[in-house]
Amino acid sequence: MVEDNQIKAQVSPFAIREGEIKTFDGKDGYVSMNQIVHKIDIGHINEIHFAILDLVNEFEFITSRQLYQMLEIKGIDPKSQDKLNNKLDQLVKSKILTRYYFTSDEGKGIYRIYCLEKMGKYLLNSKEIDCKWQPSDNTKPVPMIKKRLAGNQTLIAYLRKVKAFDSYVVKPAITAKVAGKLFKATGGSVKLTKNQKSIQFVFEVIRREDDWKKKAVERMRLYKEFYENFVPRRFRI
């Protein structure tokens, strides 16, 4: 896999582009659960496939490169990007995952985005893994998906490069008490710990979509309301 410092890009791959649309690149047709169970029984779908499924469930939308990095972080060796891509193809063909890419006035996007399919949710439920995915999630617009992808990259950077890294939350829930509104930080959150002292950071991703300034102001208003009413937890020893 090409390392991050070898990639020379002047514009983020997750930036909004003119006339950009999401294009389906998954599998049409029907796949039965019996077919999937057979593939599991004969070892064509194994533990690494389930590890991939767990990560897609956790992040909702994720690129194959981000999956490779997260598998490595979790101590799972994908062998190579090509071998991981082959496993992703298997999951897509079995309708466990589905896949999209972006096209714009500049042409076809260079990466694929993976998300859950119905069979993937069934498999997660069979292992008693919490999965809130529903089919309508895959209809989310380009800006929302790109915010998630950019947020993924922020979390991965902390995981790989910050020694004080402790933990992360992909979609931390925050409540603006006065408005009574629950919202989720689009960039996730990380907890850093050093010398038994911890600090948490929350990240908000902004993409230059339609009305992005108005949306950013509204998000900042919610954060302001949260912080103005925030009361630190007190723990008894």
Side-chain angles (χ1 to χ4, degrees):
M1 185 185 72
V2 178
E3 291 299 323
D4 290 347
N5 59 9
Q6 296 176 288
I7 298 174
K8 307 299 181 185
Q10 294 181 338
V11 179
S12 167
F14 310 128
I16 297 294
R17 287 169 169 76
E18 190 71 28
E20 195 166 36
I21 60 171
K22 180 181 67 175
T23 303
F24 178 71
D25 190 37
K27 176 181 170 60
D28 288 319
Y30 175 75
V31 176
S32 73
M33 182 54 74
N34 286 338
Q35 290 173 292
I36 293 172
V37 170
H38 177 67
K39 289 180 181 180
I40 295 171
D41 288 343
I42 63 176
H44 287 181
I45 294 175
N46 53 40
E47 288 307 309
I48 191 168
H49 292 89
F50 279 101
I52 292 167
L53 188 57
D54 280 342
L55 286 168
V56 176
N57 180 42
E58 181 180 18
F59 285 89
E60 187 179 10
F61 295 100
I62 190 168
T63 69
S64 60
R65 178 181 175 81
Q66 290 173 344
L67 279 166
Y68 187 99
Q69 292 173 321
M70 284 303 303
L71 287 169
E72 282 195 322
I73 288 165
K74 290 181 177 291
I76 301 167
D77 184 7
K79 304 299 183 184
S80 70
Q81 186 70 62
D82 286 341
K83 289 186 176 181
L84 173 59
N85 290 344
N86 289 337
K87 288 179 172 59
L88 288 167
D89 281 340
Q90 289 176 313
L91 292 170
V92 170
K93 287 175 182 176
S94 298
K95 302 202 77 174
I96 294 168
L97 298 180
T98 194
R99 179 171 56 200
Y100 295 89
Y101 61 87
F102 298 122
T103 52
S104 70
D105 296 345
E106 299 175 16
K108 188 175 178 179
I110 60 172
Y111 58 86
R112 299 292 185 271
I113 308 100
Y114 294 86
C115 50
L116 283 177
E117 260 276 24
K118 181 171 63 177
M119 292 300 183
K121 180 169 185 172
Y122 291 162
L123 289 178
L124 288 166
N125 288 342
S126 73
K127 288 182 169 281
E128 297 185 347
I129 295 171
D130 185 37
C131 178
K132 295 182 173 61
W133 177 88
Q134 49 190 351
S136 59
D137 290 345
N138 292 358
T139 66
K140 289 182 179 178
V142 171
M144 288 184 71
I145 297 173
K146 288 208 162 182
K147 286 176 186 179
R148 177 70 272 137
L149 299 177
N152 295 351
Q153 207 58 46
T154 301
L155 297 179
I156 290 170
Y158 271 87
L159 277 157
R160 298 182 76 203
K161 298 177 181 180
V162 179
K163 290 182 180 179
F165 174 83
D166 186 316
S167 62
Y168 70 90
V169 179
V170 176
K171 293 182 281 186
I174 301 169
T175 302
K177 289 187 177 180
V178 177
K181 184 171 183 179
L182 182 73
F183 65 102
K184 294 182 178 180
T186 54
S189 68
V190 297
K191 179 181 176 182
L192 308 182
T193 301
K194 187 175 182 180
N195 298 328
Q196 298 184 329
K197 293 183 179 180
S198 298
I199 185 171
Q200 290 180 304
F201 292 94
V202 175
F203 303 100
E204 188 66 28
V205 178
I206 295 174
R207 303 289 89 172
R208 291 178 181 266
E209 56 189 304
D210 292 340
D211 296 330
W212 70 270
K213 291 182 181 179
K214 180 181 177 181
K215 291 176 181 177
V217 169
E218 172 60 18
R219 295 291 283 189
M220 292 305 104
R221 186 187 66 78
L222 293 174
Y223 276 108
K224 180 175 181 290
E225 191 175 301
F226 166 74
Y227 283 111
E228 286 178 346
N229 293 278
F230 177 73
V231 178
R233 292 182 181 179
R234 296 184 181 274
F235 296 96
R236 292 182 181 179
I237 298 176

